[in-house]
Amino acid sequence: MRLGGQRRSGNIEDRRGLPIGRGVAGGGIGVVLVALVAMFFGVDPSVVLQGMDAVQGPDQQVVEPGTPDRNDSGADFVAAVLGSTEDTWTELFKRNGAQYRAPTLVLFSGAVQSACGMAQAAVGPFYCPADQKLYIDLSFYRDLRERFQAPGDFAQAYVIAHEVGHHVQNLLGVAGRVQGARQRASASEANALSVRMELQADCLAGVWAHHAANRQLLETGDIDEGLAAAAAVGDDRIQMQTRGYVAPESFTHGSAEQRARWFRRGLDRGEVTHCDSFGTARL
């Protein structure tokens, strides 16, 4: 990606290395295993980590997050990509007579406390609608490259753009409506709604990529990296890797083919109106 001239976002909280109290240790290996079975690129970790708040001690430490060191290449990359998403969504919302409220991105290491509960890095990057913040442990990029075989800077940018897609869903009221519907649904119906939610976020990430390409931020091979990353975190691939078999009825994020296709849909069309994963029978 060509990010040298891209504006850096100031909406970054750096919590790496800061103490968060004893709550994380109380989660134990069981929480990690549950998180590993859960799919990466999630929205609201409280869905996965239910009950985690109960293990937090009363002496939970409160720390003041800082801003990233400008010489930190990882943090600088995140700030540049986030700035690009802000530019894109500010413009798209303005076209429709609305104002875009940019999310805050929190960098953490190991574990983090969010308004959705305590989450460990094994959960992967996530968006918490309760505080409108994105959370990412940059070590996930190593997993993306080595475990999921999806290297490249644009693959990393896709991760951020997908979580920003969840923020856009929240601003548009989609997240609240889906959460309400999931609470009233059966387990299989709730999973199906979750899949549609995630595929829409993939499409919205593609919308951002469309406009990033128009701004000449992309290089040869970037699109292939994004498609590979979307496919790499498909439910079928992760289930095969973690379980040794695929159970489509338990999908919560969509198959590799679906994720790549919806990302491509947003990339090709460049408009939110083409990302209605809830209004189509075929995903």
Side-chain angles (χ1 to χ4, degrees), residues 40-41 89 158-159 161-166 169 194-210 226-227 229-235 252-268 274-275 277:
F40 287 122
F41 299 106
W89 289 111
Y158 157 78
V159 173
H162 175 93
E163 300 307 333
V164 171
H166 283 309
Q169 289 174 315
S194 178
V195 168
R196 291 180 182 274
M197 187 83 165
E198 296 298 330
L199 294 180
Q200 185 178 67
D202 282 330
C203 185
L204 295 173
V207 170
W208 160 78
H210 175 95
L227 291 169
V233 291
D235 283 330
T252 57
H253 285 58
S255 69
E257 186 275 333
Q258 288 172 325
R259 299 201 69 170
R261 178 158 46 82
W262 278 88
F263 175 73
R264 168 63 80 175
R265 183 185 181 95
L267 173 66
D268 290 344
H274 294 287
C275 292
S277 58

Side-chain angles (χ1 to χ4, degrees), residues 15-279:
R15 301 187 193 176
R16 292 172 295 177
L18 297 179
I20 58 174
R22 297 184 301 176
V24 177
I29 188 66
V31 172
V32 176
L33 291 176
V34 169
L36 286 174
V37 171
M39 305 311 152
F40 287 122
F41 299 106
V43 54
D44 189 350
S46 63
V47 174
V48 177
L49 301 176
Q50 291 180 0
M52 278 295 288
D53 287 340
V55 302
Q56 297 174 25
D59 59 341
Q60 180 73 27
Q61 292 174 285
V62 177
V63 296
E64 188 68 28
T67 56
D69 185 334
R70 292 185 178 180
N71 295 318
D72 184 330
S73 60
D76 182 69
F77 172 80
V78 167
V81 173
L82 188 64
S84 174
T85 67
E86 291 170 353
D87 293 345
T88 293
W89 289 111
T90 295
E91 177 184 335
L92 291 178
F93 269 60
K94 186 176 181 180
R95 287 183 192 176
N96 290 280
Q99 183 176 4
Y100 179 66
R101 300 191 305 273
T104 295
L105 188 150
V106 178
L107 297 171
F108 72 97
S109 54
V112 69
Q113 175 68 49
S114 76
C116 295
M118 186 80 72
Q120 297 197 24
V123 176
F126 65 91
Y127 171 70
C128 175
D131 57 19
Q132 298 191 10
K133 293 183 179 182
L134 289 61
Y135 294 82
I136 183 170
D137 183 326
L138 293 182
S139 67
F140 175 77
Y141 286 150
R142 181 180 63 249
D143 293 335
L144 188 66
R145 180 178 65 253
E146 298 176 0
R147 180 182 175 192
F148 296 103
Q149 300 298 302
D153 57 358
F154 191 76
Q156 297 176 7
Y158 157 78
V159 173
I160 298 171
H162 175 93
E163 300 307 333
V164 171
H166 283 309
H167 178 64
V168 172
Q169 289 174 315
N170 195 27
L171 295 181
L172 295 177
V174 175
R177 291 193 297 272
V178 171
Q179 182 61 19
R182 291 183 78 252
Q183 291 174 349
R184 298 187 299 271
S186 66
S188 61
E189 291 170 337
N191 284 346
L193 285 169
S194 178
V195 168
R196 291 180 182 274
M197 187 83 165
E198 296 298 330
L199 294 180
Q200 185 178 67
D202 282 330
C203 185
L204 295 173
V207 170
W208 160 78
H210 175 95
H211 292 275
N214 287 345
R215 292 193 178 97
Q216 308 300 314
L217 296 182
L218 304 192
E219 299 174 305
T220 302
D222 280 348
I223 297 303
D224 289 338
E225 289 178 6
L227 291 169
V233 291
D235 283 330
D236 48 347
R237 293 194 183 181
I238 294 181
Q239 286 187 354
M240 181 58 69
Q241 186 178 80
T242 58
R243 303 178 181 180
Y245 65 91
V246 175
E249 69 279 0
S250 66
F251 282 5
T252 57
H253 285 58
S255 69
E257 186 275 333
Q258 288 172 325
R259 299 201 69 170
R261 178 158 46 82
W262 278 88
F263 175 73
R264 168 63 80 175
R265 183 185 181 95
L267 173 66
D268 290 344
R269 309 295 178 82
E271 295 290 342
V272 175
T273 53
H274 294 287
C275 292
D276 184 10
S277 58
F278 296 92

